[in-house]
Amino acid sequence: MLELRTIADAGLVGYPNAGKSTLLRKISAARPKVAPYPFTTLHPIVGVVDFSGYRRATIADVPGLIEGAHRNVGLGHDFLRHITRCQLLLFVLDVAGSEGRNPIEDLQNLRREIDLYDARLSQRPWFVIANKMDLPGAPENLAALRKRFPSVDVVPVSAATGEGIDDLKRRLEQWLKEESPVTAAASAAL
């Protein structure tokens, strides 16, 4: 049996309804299903993001995780195994807390689930996309998130309105250049 290990350059990881599918629609031509209920994404959807100079990257919308996913709660292992196939992890948080959750706790829980599933995943490069900046409470929660994780690169966006999408694409291109094994090998050879 043969399984393809690489699905995308980066994977969008987050709780259900964090806005991963809407975000993928904004940064690529992919058209994943978007709905106001959880688990609309049951299989990863891959989109291609175009950068300047004819460069591209593939981004996977990974189905939403829940607590206990590492113990195979719900479709835990089915969802988590997709994350192992991404080189870079992008944690998409509902920074406004519109689903009644705390974004800081969400990030801690998501990181813990990934670590408990496979500790090697914790070693992968990761960044945070603070989504839903257009909603009340988002600026305060963003400040708290940055204070709690000062060394983590956090990009504020609103996938619904398009705010911050251009900055996200620039940062994404930069992150992929920095973390690409091919780029690192080429830099080391110089």
Side-chain angles (χ1 to χ4, degrees):
M1 177 183 258
L2 177 67
E3 179 182 24
L4 178 66
R5 293 298 293 177
T6 303
I7 189 172
D9 296 311
L12 301 176
V13 180
Y15 277 97
N17 289 356
K20 298 178 301 297
S21 296
T22 303
L23 185 61
L24 187 64
R25 283 173 162 260
K26 286 288 184 181
I27 63 175
S28 75
R31 293 293 169 249
K33 181 179 178 181
V34 174
Y37 54 85
F39 300 109
T40 53
T41 303
L42 294 175
H43 305 285
I45 307 291
V46 178
V48 176
V49 179
D50 291 315
F51 301 123
S52 62
Y54 301 103
R55 290 185 302 265
R56 294 178 159 190
T58 53
I59 309 298
D61 174 8
V62 178
L65 296 179
I66 60 172
E67 280 191 65
H70 72 280
R71 293 188 316 268
N72 208 20
V73 170
L75 295 173
H77 287 181
D78 289 340
F79 289 4
L80 281 164
R81 75 181 177 86
H82 297 304
I83 295 170
T84 65
R85 297 161 53 186
C86 299
Q87 161 190 337
L88 186 78
L89 304 180
L90 304 174
F91 290 91
V92 180
L93 302 177
D94 172 359
V95 77
S98 65
E99 296 289 318
R101 291 188 312 269
N102 180 308
I104 293 173
E105 291 174 8
D106 281 0
L107 180 57
Q108 291 170 327
N109 292 338
L110 289 166
R111 296 274 306 147
R112 183 174 54 249
E113 286 298 325
I114 286 172
D115 186 57
L116 291 171
Y117 175 71
D118 184 346
R120 293 173 296 181
L121 288 176
S122 294
Q123 306 308 311
R124 296 231 175 126
W126 62 281
F127 303 96
V128 174
I129 301 171
N131 192 22
K132 302 190 181 185
M133 286 300 298
D134 56 310
L135 298 179
E140 297 83 8
N141 287 339
L142 176 63
L145 182 68
R146 284 183 165 156
K147 184 177 181 181
R148 174 66 179 85
F149 300 99
S151 62
V152 176
D153 211 354
V154 178
V155 180
V157 301
S158 170
T161 66
E163 173 191 345
I165 296 299
D166 290 336
D167 183 40
L168 172 62
K169 288 174 84 171
R170 280 190 296 276
R171 301 283 279 285
L172 179 59
E173 182 178 19
Q174 175 189 352
W175 294 333
L176 289 167
K177 278 183 188 176
E178 291 170 0
E179 303 303 336
S180 170
V182 174
T183 304
S187 297
L190 295 176

